[in-house]
Amino acid sequence: MNQSNIDALRTQAVPFRAHLIDGKLLPASDNGRMDVLSPIDGQLLTQVARGTAADMQAAIASARASFEDKRWAGQPPAARKKVLLKWADLIEANALELAVLGVRDNGTEIGMALKAEPGSAAGTIRYYAEALDKIYGEVAPTSSDILGLIHKEPVGVVGAIIPWNFPMMIGAWKLGPALAMGNSVVLKPAETASLSLMRMAELALEAGLPPGVLNAVTGEGAVVGETMGLSMDVDVLVFTGSGATGRRLMEYSARSNMKRVYLELGGKSPNIIFADAPDLSEAAKVAAAGIFRNAGQVCVAGSRLLIETCIHDEFVAEVTRVAEGMRVGDPLSLETAIGAVNSESQLKQNLGFVVTARAEGGEVVTGGERILQETGGYFMSPTIVTGVTPGSTLAQKEVFGPVLGVTPFASDDEAVLIANSTVYGLAGAVWTSSLARAHRMIRDVRTGVMHVNTYGGADNTVPLGGVGQSGNGHDKSMHAIEKYINLKTAWIKL
Ligand code: NAD
């Protein structure tokens, strides 16, 4: 990929984006539209349909009808596989357009977006396409006069609510297994990053997915998302986003049809650096990337840096050096290491955390400011705060921005105690040359993903899911399939 291919797309007009309902592109029922501002310059990029409750109900009805007449679920696995593989190919064939559109919408640096967005989404769809004819039912170990069968059936209509940080990647984590297992889906992208995911959904129909099997409605979470959550006709709700919204979805479920709700929420993940790390300069580079890429808008970001006391000062100096060398700015430049913050309100929230951290005794050793304001875009310098006490706001609350809090520790036990002192448990890392210490940390840190001598980068073969208030259920790997099937027992007297 070279810069001129990207530049050729950077100012292309982006047409109004309608809903995708029953295979048709439809405006909102009341013709309402929402402005989409680009975080790169704060200017109007395009408009999307401002969905109404009626739009969401129409999308759900379309999904339900497509499920009941078995136009997708009833197809032979080989036929479903062919469509999904074609879809993955189309995503790859359109990767550059999808990535640039996504970056103009959400601000992720293009180098990362190319890999993490269309690249990863195509890989995920392909993974589940290839898996779908390798999933068998079971025969139970019954007495000889009985045949006990366990069937794996699609659940019906799946509602998928997606955040803005990696819309295509996270969208594919839900759509891949849901569609592979024969479900029909209603998708609800985030207000501030719907364009690339809506286009990706459209490509599924081009690949041969029957109309109505995948519907997508844009609009406000409080309107279309709530309608989905309260629907009596959605069987399973899968969600990635904030804890506050996750809590609401559980309430919606309780108030309606008790639909299963799977939540992938936030984190405050500890990156634990011991003095015996195999390569401290590599650890510093990876620690900086692990919090600052995509301007910190990564659910598994290593936002708490726990450093063994004896190397604290030298390690802080090294991470600071790396952070100050990361180029912040134009997300469409391949040279950029840190792109834009997704929205002005998110930027304000990030800056507010820095003010609070200072007030609570933290020292800002680098960053902490809005920069490049003359561009009109939403940019923030990578920020490192030392002296963050375990109980303080910065140690406890997810910022979801480029802000790293540093806390020293004196022993393995203290590292574990601090690591486990939040309500979250999504990811973490330990840097050490000791095999025994690494395994003790894997065992003792309460989290869904633990890295050793690296941070991030896990592929489709392993699950991603949190413990505590980081959520329930898992995306990725064969374990994700469980969310999209019902088990049915057949007990047959012979
Ligand atoms: P958010 O909860 O504000 O929004 C997420 C989605 O929920 C959006 O599509 C939004 O429109 C919708 N929504 C909002 N209110 C709703 C309502 N009342 N009913 C139904 N839907 C509603 O979260 P966000 O700010 O877009 O995303 C950032 C959060 O996502 C962070 O906390 C981050 O850690 C988390 N995240 C988690 C993972 C993971 O895998 N665990 C991955 C990425 C992001």
Side-chain angles (χ1 to χ4, degrees), residues 5-24:
N5 302 130
I6 296 165
D7 290 339
L9 295 168
R10 67 161 69 227
T11 53
Q12 208 171 53
V14 181
F16 164 71
R17 171 58 63 188
H19 301 315
L20 179 62
I21 299 176
D22 213 21
K24 296 184 269 298

Side-chain angles (χ1 to χ4, degrees), residues 162 164-165 188 191 225 240-242 245 252 265-266 299 398 400:
I162 310 298
W164 43 261
N165 55 338
K188 151 63 185 105
E191 289 87 328
T240 295
S242 65
T245 306
Y252 297 155
L265 308 172
C299 58
E398 184 184 46
F400 216 55

Side-chain angles (χ1 to χ4, degrees), residues 329-347:
D330 178 14
L332 287 170
S333 164
L334 284 166
E335 306 284 301
T336 294
I338 303 175
V341 173
N342 179 251
S343 64
E344 195 160 21
S345 62
Q346 184 70 34
L347 177 61

Side-chain angles (χ1 to χ4, degrees), residues 29 33 47 68 78 108 111 153 156 160 185 199 231 245 248 264 272 277 314 324 337-338 343 346 380 393 449 473:
S29 58
R33 292 178 172 213
Q47 290 186 310
E68 297 302 334
T108 303
E153 299 187 330
V185 179
R199 175 71 188 128
S231 170
T245 306
R248 279 199 194 99
E264 297 288 348
I272 307 168
E314 74 173 276
E324 290 175 348
I338 303 175
S343 64
Q346 184 70 34
M380 181 169 174
T393 306
V449 180

Side-chain angles (χ1 to χ4, degrees), residues 269-315:
S269 300
N271 191 4
I272 307 168
I273 319 289
F274 282 96
D276 69 352
D279 181 346
L280 282 170
S281 105
E282 169 72 3
K285 243 189 272 165
V286 176
I291 174 66
F292 297 131
R293 296 305 301 274
N294 201 17
Q297 301 162 133
V298 179
C299 58
V300 295
S303 53
R304 287 188 295 152
L305 189 59
L306 311 189
I307 309 176
E308 196 168 3
T309 317
C310 56
I311 55 161
H312 177 274
D313 293 355
E314 74 173 276
F315 197 78

Side-chain angles (χ1 to χ4, degrees), residues 93-394:
N94 290 277
L96 184 62
E97 284 79 2
L98 285 166
V100 173
L101 181 63
V103 168
R104 292 174 75 192
D105 199 6
N106 84 339
T108 303
E109 53 277 2
I110 187 76
M112 177 177 240
L114 278 163
K115 272 193 239 133
E117 282 283 272
S120 155
T124 301
I125 304 292
R126 199 168 278 134
Y127 178 91
Y128 290 106
E130 284 165 354
L132 69 83
D133 56 0
K134 297 167 192 71
I135 295 165
Y136 290 75
E138 294 166 26
V139 180
T142 54
S143 60
S144 60
D145 59 336
I146 291 292
L147 179 60
L149 301 178
I150 303 168
H151 294 281
K152 294 180 177 172
E153 299 187 330
V155 293
V157 175
V158 172
I161 302 180
I162 310 298
W164 43 261
N165 55 338
F166 293 104
M168 286 186 274
M169 177 176 83
I170 295 173
W173 289 348
K174 323 285 189 198
L175 297 176
L179 292 170
M181 299 317 292
N183 298 285
S184 292
V185 179
V186 179
L187 180 65
K188 151 63 185 105
E191 289 87 328
T192 56
S194 52
L195 299 173
S196 56
L197 183 54
M198 291 299 281
R199 175 71 188 128
M200 185 174 116
E202 215 182 338
L203 290 175
L205 273 82
E206 282 178 35
L209 194 72
V213 175
L214 173 56
N215 305 273
V217 173
T218 52
E220 287 162 27
V223 179
V224 286
E226 180 174 292
T227 305
M228 179 190 275
L230 287 171
S231 170
M232 298 298 286
D233 231 1
V234 170
D235 301 294
V236 164
L237 201 52
V238 286
F239 171 74
T240 295
S242 65
T245 306
R247 215 176 272 278
R248 279 199 194 99
L249 296 181
M250 288 185 134
E251 284 171 12
Y252 297 155
S253 166
R255 280 162 53 198
S256 55
N257 61 346
M258 295 191 280
K259 56 181 72 64
R260 272 154 47 191
V261 178
Y262 295 103
L263 306 173
E264 297 288 348
L265 308 172
K268 195 76 215 181
S269 300
N271 191 4
I272 307 168
I273 319 289
F274 282 96
D276 69 352
D279 181 346
L280 282 170
S281 105
E282 169 72 3
K285 243 189 272 165
V286 176
I291 174 66
F292 297 131
R293 296 305 301 274
N294 201 17
Q297 301 162 133
V298 179
C299 58
V300 295
S303 53
R304 287 188 295 152
L305 189 59
L306 311 189
I307 309 176
E308 196 168 3
T309 317
C310 56
I311 55 161
H312 177 274
D313 293 355
E314 74 173 276
F315 197 78
V316 168
E318 183 62 8
V319 185
T320 304
R321 198 186 59 75
V322 176
E324 290 175 348
M326 293 174 89
R327 185 189 288 206
V328 186
D330 178 14
L332 287 170
S333 164
L334 284 166
E335 306 284 301
T336 294
I338 303 175
V341 173
N342 179 251
S343 64
E344 195 160 21
S345 62
Q346 184 70 34
L347 177 61
K348 280 196 184 131
Q349 198 176 301
N350 295 348
L351 295 169
F353 272 105
V354 177
V355 172
T356 306
R358 272 204 182 96
E360 292 181 1
E363 186 194 346
V364 179
V365 293
T366 189
E369 280 158 9
R370 179 174 187 174
I371 55 170
L372 302 171
Q373 202 156 349
E374 67 283 2
T375 62
Y378 317 133
F379 297 97
M380 181 169 174
S381 47
T383 304
I384 299 176
V385 186
T386 54
V388 174
T389 52
S392 68
T393 306
L394 191 58

